[in-house]
Amino acid sequence: MKKIRKMAAAGISILLLVLFLLPFAGAASADQTAPRAAGTASAVPKSGPVFIIPVDQEIERGLQSFLTRGFQEAANYGAVLILLEIDTPGGLVSSAEQIGMMVRDSTIPTAAYIKGDAASAGSYIALNAGSIIMKPGSMIGAASLVDGKGDSVDDAKLVSYWKSKMVGAAELNGRDPEIAAGMMDKNIVVNKPELGVNKAQGQIIALSSDEALKAGYADSIAGTPEEAIASLGYATDDIFRVEHTGAEKMSHFLTNPIVMTILLFIGIAGIVIEMLVPGFGVPGIIGTLAFALYFFGNYVAGFAGSETWLLFILGLVMLVLELFVPSFGILGLLGSVLLVAGVVRAAYSYTHALFSLGIAFAAAAVVIAIVAVTFKERGIWNRFILQDSLTKEQGFVPVLEKLSLVGASGISITPLRPAGTASLNGERVDVVTEGSFIAAGVSISVIKVEGGRVVVKETAE
């Protein structure tokens, strides 16, 4: 009986223990089977380096080079996430395509945090990222094609091509493709009341942060990049921000269209003035420095390669040789072609480079003309013009014409073949015949005097 009571008591204890542990077992089972939502309190943030790379300028090859460096640094550090901090008005479609491809092909998860405007090509870059988080008051869209003057491009082929790119980027992460098409094509109509989008023909879609969230073009809204990182389920205690280097900042300034034109003007004017009016040294140094800054800025930005320096130096050498080596203008022409080719190839746009070069040439021509007139006494052309004169002050005495000897008679002292010496009026005089030979001791007479030249002929005794 006691044994039965002991067994009953033990059974009750085990039952109570099971009932006590059952909720914990259920919780543990729920933890293992239910998926964790990123950014929720129950999720454990993924730790590791997170790289923030700013996209805060016009989209061109300079930005592309900067992002390439940023992605490479993130890979070297073993980053678990790359956050593109976007605030850009857009830029070149070709560069946006390359950046978009780099974002898509990245082995590191990439998200876009739009802190300002992701306009035009900036919206394309954002759509290629795995996630889009927007700051309150930010914008995405307005991706229509425009030319260098800001006018809308209506070329059907270009519009169709860019539309396909935008639609493809939207479909990567399940975003409505019609909205992406409406961001750049003003001719289509988009009516999506369930997504809060209603676009009439002639309009371009641009979504605010709240509108983008409703339309599925933003995954969440965050006030800071750190909040955006946390919302994606990553720890924020190991964040690295990729900054522009001093050379990259300088390059961004030097590749400004206005600055590039000024550098070309100073370079052309300085070097040409130094060649035409040598001796100063300062114009040549300033001109060379201006060209060096021009090529340096474009080289760092990724526009120019080493071949542009070679073209420019060869062109400059040929122009200098043209001043000293007769080539009927061939060296000068080749030098000019090489110099222009180097300048144009170094720029991000051939059209813009030629336009800037034309303005610089015109302005430099005016300055060169003024300097050439002002310092005409020192011009290089004076080397090819005989300026010296033989004056009495310098010790030079002109030969006197002996007109008094005309008609005078005398005797040849030496044979005249046809020149020689004769005695005229008791004076030894250098004479010359008209071409005939006269032996020594023959009677002669003077027929004419031309400066210091006394012409004689043989006469009968």
Side-chain angles (χ1 to χ4, degrees):
M1 188 70 178
K2 289 181 178 179
K3 186 175 181 181
I4 293 173
R5 287 178 179 175
K6 289 181 180 179
M7 291 177 63
I12 292 171
S13 298
I14 293 172
L15 179 62
L16 290 174
L17 181 62
V18 170
L19 291 174
F20 178 75
L21 294 175
L22 186 59
F24 296 97
S29 175
D31 255 358
Q32 292 173 359
T33 58
R36 295 180 179 179
T40 61
S42 62
V44 178
K46 185 175 182 180
S47 61
V50 176
F51 271 64
I52 299 177
I53 307 178
V55 182
D56 55 359
Q57 64 185 70
E58 286 192 14
I59 298 170
E60 30 80 16
R61 287 175 61 187
L63 176 63
Q64 181 182 336
S65 298
F66 169 68
L67 291 177
T68 301
R69 179 173 68 82
F71 272 68
Q72 186 60 52
E73 288 185 10
N76 294 340
Y77 275 81
V80 296
L81 176 69
I82 294 176
L83 187 73
L84 299 177
E85 193 178 57
I86 299 177
D87 184 12
T88 176
L92 297 178
V93 170
S94 57
S95 294
E97 287 185 75
Q98 295 297 321
I99 295 172
M101 185 182 301
M102 180 167 55
V103 173
R104 291 196 307 271
D105 296 343
S106 173
T107 57
I108 304 171
T110 305
Y113 174 66
I114 302 174
K115 73 170 186 177
D117 295 335
S120 189
S123 61
Y124 174 75
I125 294 175
L127 289 174
N128 279 279
S131 301
I132 298 177
I133 303 96
M134 297 182 69
K135 184 176 181 178
S138 59
M139 181 275 291
I140 182 173
S144 60
L145 290 174
V146 295
D147 57 19
K149 299 178 181 179
D151 298 328
S152 178
V153 175
D154 296 324
D155 188 290
K157 289 184 179 180
L158 293 177
V159 171
S160 178
Y161 174 80
W162 184 231
K163 185 195 298 183
S164 68
K165 289 293 182 180
M166 288 289 293
V167 168
E171 291 176 336
L172 282 174
N173 297 291
R175 309 189 194 279
D176 192 298
E178 290 187 41
I179 296 178
M183 286 182 173
M184 61 78 51
D185 191 350
K186 63 183 179 180
N187 296 318
I188 66 174
V189 176
V190 180
N191 186 16
K192 298 277 184 177
E194 71 280 7
L195 300 179
V197 178
N198 185 14
K199 172 193 173 301
Q201 188 172 5
Q203 296 178 335
I204 291 294
I205 295 177
L207 302 175
S208 67
S209 55
D210 292 332
E211 292 170 338
L213 186 63
K214 183 177 181 180
Y217 270 65
D219 299 305
S220 62
I221 296 177
T224 64
E226 289 75 16
E227 290 180 18
I229 293 169
S231 71
L232 294 170
Y234 292 87
T236 59
D237 54 357
D238 197 12
I239 295 177
F240 295 86
R241 176 177 286 272
V242 180
E243 301 289 353
H244 293 275
T245 64
E248 287 170 339
K249 291 178 180 179
M250 186 176 181
S251 171
H252 184 61
F253 170 75
L254 293 176
T255 52
N256 180 281
I258 297 177
V259 176
M260 287 174 59
T261 303
I262 294 174
L263 289 176
L264 289 175
F265 158 70
I266 295 175
I268 294 170
I271 289 180
V272 174
I273 288 173
E274 185 63 36
M275 289 192 299
L276 295 181
V277 188
F280 293 106
V282 176
I285 294 173
I286 294 177
T288 303
L289 180 61
F291 273 120
L293 289 174
Y294 173 86
F295 284 102
F296 170 78
N298 287 282
Y299 179 78
V300 173
F303 304 151
S306 56
E307 77 280 356
T308 58
W309 290 91
L310 180 61
L311 288 172
F312 173 74
I313 293 173
L314 287 176
L316 195 60
V317 169
M318 287 188 176
L319 287 176
V320 174
L321 289 177
E322 176 63 28
L323 297 175
F324 303 98
V325 179
S327 67
F328 304 101
I330 296 176
L331 286 176
L333 179 61
L334 290 176
S336 300
V337 171
L338 290 176
L339 187 121
V340 171
V343 169
V344 171
R345 282 187 59 84
Y348 70 88
S349 168
Y350 291 168
T351 303
H352 176 267
L354 290 173
F355 179 73
S356 298
L357 197 59
I359 295 176
F361 263 124
V366 175
V367 174
I368 292 168
I370 294 174
V371 173
V373 172
T374 304
F375 299 97
K376 58 183 178 181
E377 295 82 5
R378 303 184 61 169
I380 193 171
W381 47 84
N382 290 319
R383 297 181 180 180
F384 308 103
I385 302 174
L386 182 60
Q387 301 287 346
D388 295 332
S389 57
L390 306 179
T391 62
K392 293 180 179 179
E393 291 75 13
Q394 294 176 317
F396 295 99
V397 180
V399 178
L400 296 176
E401 287 188 325
K402 299 181 180 182
L403 297 177
S404 60
L405 293 178
V406 176
S409 299
I411 299 175
S412 58
I413 298 176
T414 64
L416 305 183
R417 302 190 179 92
T421 304
S423 175
L424 299 172
N425 296 336
E427 180 183 357
R428 291 175 65 92
V429 180
D430 292 329
V431 297
V432 62
T433 69
E434 291 182 304
S436 59
F437 171 79
I438 300 177
V442 176
S443 297
I444 57 174
S445 63
V446 178
I447 56 177
K448 59 183 176 180
V449 176
E450 298 174 338
R453 183 168 175 266
V454 180
V455 182
V456 299
K457 68 175 182 177
E458 184 179 353
T459 58
E461 295 182 0

